[in-house]
Amino acid sequence: MIEPAYLHAIRESYNTVSEDYLKLVQDLSGLDGLSRAMLAAFAERVRSGGLGPVADLGCGPGVVTAHVAAMDVPIFGIDLSPRMIELAQRRFPHLHFAEGSMTALEAGDAELGGILAFYSIHHTPPQHLPALFAKFHRALAPGGHLLVGTHLGDGEHLRPTQAYGHHPVSYETYLQPADRIVELLEAAGFTMIARLVQEPGENSKRRQGCFLATRSR
């Protein structure tokens, strides 16, 4: 099967920027308190559900994976970039990380107690989001939880050529409105629990959103 061009662009771009990306996210000290609270709420619900492990999709160098693991949540990380996986495994050898795509989850039906997609869906072309969220729904156990964090916008399509220390990149970024993210999640069979939308500020030049949902059927 031929890999979609956008996945190849994401992999190669994050392989290229991995070292400088890690320098910017050594820990979660730069993450705002509201986003931390959403991660904590997600972790608490997953723990209380006891339905299975959490997959951190687009885990990058594993910083968020380790943060959630420290909240007594069984979690593993998946990322398209082998270089990111190498950095994550080296820094957090007690956790499991694997190269893979969120568009081709190897988890069985209803296998996962939670899915975390924390700032990892914004490179996915909008026309692929319904299928992606359907895959999340399939992999989650009924009652399992999903937390999506992403940059928001009004449908902007960005084509940066450089990032993270002026490294060349070829990925593209798609900024969807919060209501559209909710609409797609509900259409995939999720029930919304909470949404958090933050306006641009010190931590981000764009609106940011966190969406907590559960698989209700």
Side-chain angles (χ1 to χ4, degrees):
M1 183 176 179
I2 299 175
E3 179 180 72
Y6 79 91
L7 293 179
H8 178 78
I10 294 169
R11 178 185 297 107
E12 294 305 309
S13 295
Y14 279 101
N15 278 341
T16 299
V17 305
S18 57
E19 295 286 351
D20 282 315
Y21 182 94
L22 179 58
K23 291 176 183 177
L24 293 174
V25 292
Q26 287 287 330
D27 52 43
L28 294 189
S29 59
L31 186 65
D32 64 276
L34 291 175
S35 295
R36 287 173 181 270
M38 291 293 279
L39 285 170
F42 170 74
E44 181 179 351
R45 285 178 174 269
V46 170
R47 281 197 311 269
S48 64
L51 296 173
V54 170
D56 182 6
L57 305 179
C59 65
V63 176
V64 175
T65 320
H67 178 77
V68 174
M71 291 186 276
D72 198 28
V73 171
I75 187 170
F76 60 94
I78 295 175
D79 200 276
L80 266 175
S81 163
R83 183 58 181 148
M84 286 290 194
I85 292 298
E86 180 183 343
L87 293 174
Q89 199 67 76
R90 182 190 306 167
R91 189 169 183 199
F92 306 109
H94 60 293
L95 299 176
H96 176 68
F97 298 93
E99 182 183 349
S101 171
M102 67 175 69
T103 65
L105 281 176
E106 295 184 0
D109 292 355
E111 181 177 326
L112 301 173
I115 289 178
L116 178 62
F118 206 64
Y119 292 90
S120 57
I121 70 164
H122 56 281
H123 297 309
T124 302
Q127 66 269 26
H128 294 295
L129 288 177
L132 180 64
F133 291 161
K135 289 181 171 67
F136 291 178
H137 186 273
R138 175 197 61 78
L140 274 177
H145 288 85
L146 168 69
L147 180 63
V148 173
T150 190
H151 303 290
L152 300 174
D154 296 311
E156 294 93 330
H157 180 187
L158 308 179
R159 299 177 176 86
T161 57
Q162 294 181 326
Y164 304 107
H166 304 291
H167 293 290
V169 294
S170 55
Y171 57 57
E172 299 179 21
T173 297
Y174 306 87
L175 305 178
Q176 299 300 301
D179 287 346
R180 180 58 176 161
I181 299 294
V182 170
E183 178 185 357
L184 291 173
L185 289 173
E186 291 179 338
F190 288 100
T191 297
M192 297 305 302
I193 297 171
R195 73 169 93 175
L196 168 68
V197 176
Q198 298 188 72
E199 296 302 319
E202 294 182 2
N203 293 316
S204 177
K205 296 179 181 179
R206 303 189 183 102
R207 292 197 302 278
Q208 298 173 295
C210 285
F211 305 86
L212 181 61
T214 185
R215 175 181 167 174
S216 52
R217 54 178 170 80

